[in-house]
Amino acid sequence: MKKAVVIGSLNLDYSISVARMPQPGETVAAESLTLNPGGKGANQAYALGRLGCKTAMIGAVGRDAAGERLLANLESAGVDCSGILRRDVPTGQAFIPVDQKGENAIIIVHGANETLSPADVEAHRALIEAADCVVMQLEIPLPTVLAAAKLAKSRGRTVILDPAPAPGELPEELLRLCDFIKPNETELSLLTGMPAGSRAECEAAAKTLLQKGVGTVLVSLGSRGALAVTPHGSVLMPPPKVKAVDSTSAGDTFTAAFVSRWDGGLEPALRYANAAAAIAVSRRGAQASIPSAAEVEDFIQ
Ligand code: RIB
């Protein structure tokens, strides 16, 4: 798709390298601490911009240095930040230990993200009307996501929801508005209350979302690639092999890359999204790890 608007979160990430994750009650020493631009919404907007999609973002940051830094990074990727509001609440933050296998855990402090309201979306309806698609996640209030999805569908725009962090079940009213939903296996299981380990389990769980009105379910499976489930069947796309260093933002990169290449053909868009996510996994940080379109093309070749 050529023009996207992302409605979602912006966080300053505190990425903490650890030899291994602490157990409950245990103290471990970090090997390093890096502050990186992040937030699922901002990561997707940044990735869309880097991958050549004309992109705007609607979101909220605080009137602080972190907010300025996040806006500057989005602007460096060509993202229109006119829909990002400044609030008298600190910018969102995320605390992310990453172990030697590249696995992470994330604790978010919502901050300004929590203030983004349906009225803010309405105030920026022109950005939605100007886009082909609306891309959202769940680090902003659910009523805001629902209002944006309704507005987008009433204008015939494509709605893509990355249901992370997964809250358990989502309202059917929202699911009916989603052309695409992109959970990982854990999120798929939380959304449906069904197991999502094997391909067959993922397909069965995804079908329950299709029955509730979702157009296509894209399940990101990490080192096993991605599974697309549609009313007409499913496609499993294995990923390229890379050494995983940090999986932060790999899912965001996958979603954005899929959207940037979606023109009706599932397999090329999945292949491209897997390649972009594989590059992101092989580098440290959230937005710092996201490749440009040229890098993805080179990698695929
Ligand atoms: O998806 C990764 C992102 O989740 C991080 O950048 C962090 O900010 C949290 O929002």
Side-chain angles (χ1 to χ4, degrees):
M1 277 183 253
K2 296 203 166 22
K3 287 177 90 177
V5 60
V6 177
I7 305 175
S9 59
L10 303 94
N11 294 329
L12 184 62
D13 289 357
Y14 291 72
S15 299
I16 307 159
S17 292
V18 289
R20 61 176 178 78
M21 292 289 172
Q23 300 297 311
E26 187 189 17
T27 302
V28 298
E31 292 173 344
S32 66
L33 166 67
T34 319
L35 272 59
N36 293 306
K40 294 186 198 308
N43 294 345
Q44 292 174 13
Y46 182 84
L48 281 158
R50 293 270 284 159
L51 296 171
C53 208
K54 198 165 161 38
T55 306
M57 181 164 182
I58 300 173
V61 294
R63 292 179 210 282
D64 49 26
E68 291 307 320
R69 181 171 172 186
L70 296 180
L71 294 188
N73 207 51
L74 286 178
E75 280 164 358
S76 76
V79 176
D80 171 358
C81 293
S82 63
I84 301 180
L85 301 155
R86 269 69 156 193
R87 292 273 154 75
D88 293 321
V89 174
T91 294
Q93 295 172 305
F95 297 87
I96 312 179
V98 181
D99 72 13
Q100 280 178 337
K101 289 182 235 137
E103 302 282 357
N104 67 30
I106 303 182
I107 299 173
I108 50 174
V109 182
H110 284 299
N113 295 309
E114 217 163 32
T115 70
L116 194 72
S117 68
D120 295 329
V121 169
E122 180 59 35
H124 292 93
R125 65 158 53 220
L127 292 177
I128 295 175
E129 288 167 350
D132 303 313
C133 65
V134 173
V135 183
M136 294 184 285
Q137 329 72 36
L138 297 175
E139 287 182 340
I140 56 171
L142 193 57
T144 307
V145 172
L146 184 57
K150 281 184 186 163
L151 178 55
K153 285 313 275 188
S154 74
R155 295 292 182 275
R157 304 300 181 258
T158 302
V159 173
I160 298 105
L161 178 65
D162 194 331
E169 278 192 15
L170 281 173
E172 286 199 31
E173 189 185 12
L174 176 59
L175 293 174
R176 270 198 300 278
L177 297 166
C178 293
D179 297 286
F180 294 92
I181 191 166
K182 200 287 298 168
N184 62 26
E185 304 126 291
T186 310
E187 291 154 357
L188 180 61
S189 180
L190 284 167
L191 287 175
T192 60
M194 295 171 67
S198 65
R199 175 177 180 169
E201 286 174 345
C202 286
E203 285 180 356
K207 278 179 190 160
T208 68
L209 296 177
L210 298 180
Q211 281 155 10
K212 291 180 179 172
V214 173
T216 295
V217 182
L218 303 170
V219 191
S220 51
L221 300 169
S223 59
R224 289 187 290 146
L227 176 71
V229 185
T230 78
H232 313 293
S234 69
V235 180
L236 177 67
M237 186 62 65
K241 292 247 180 300
V242 290
K243 179 172 164 27
V245 169
D246 179 358
S247 60
T248 313
S249 88
D252 302 328
T253 304
F254 177 93
T255 300
F258 181 89
V259 168
S260 76
R261 284 301 175 277
W262 173 251
D263 62 3
L266 267 178
E267 294 197 11
L270 286 173
R271 194 171 295 116
Y272 188 83
N274 273 350
I279 297 173
V281 163
S282 70
R283 300 172 176 172
R284 291 194 189 280
Q287 285 160 45
S289 72
I290 294 171
S292 66
E295 287 175 312
V296 181
E297 299 298 348
D298 278 358
F299 182 85
I300 287 171
Q301 273 159 35

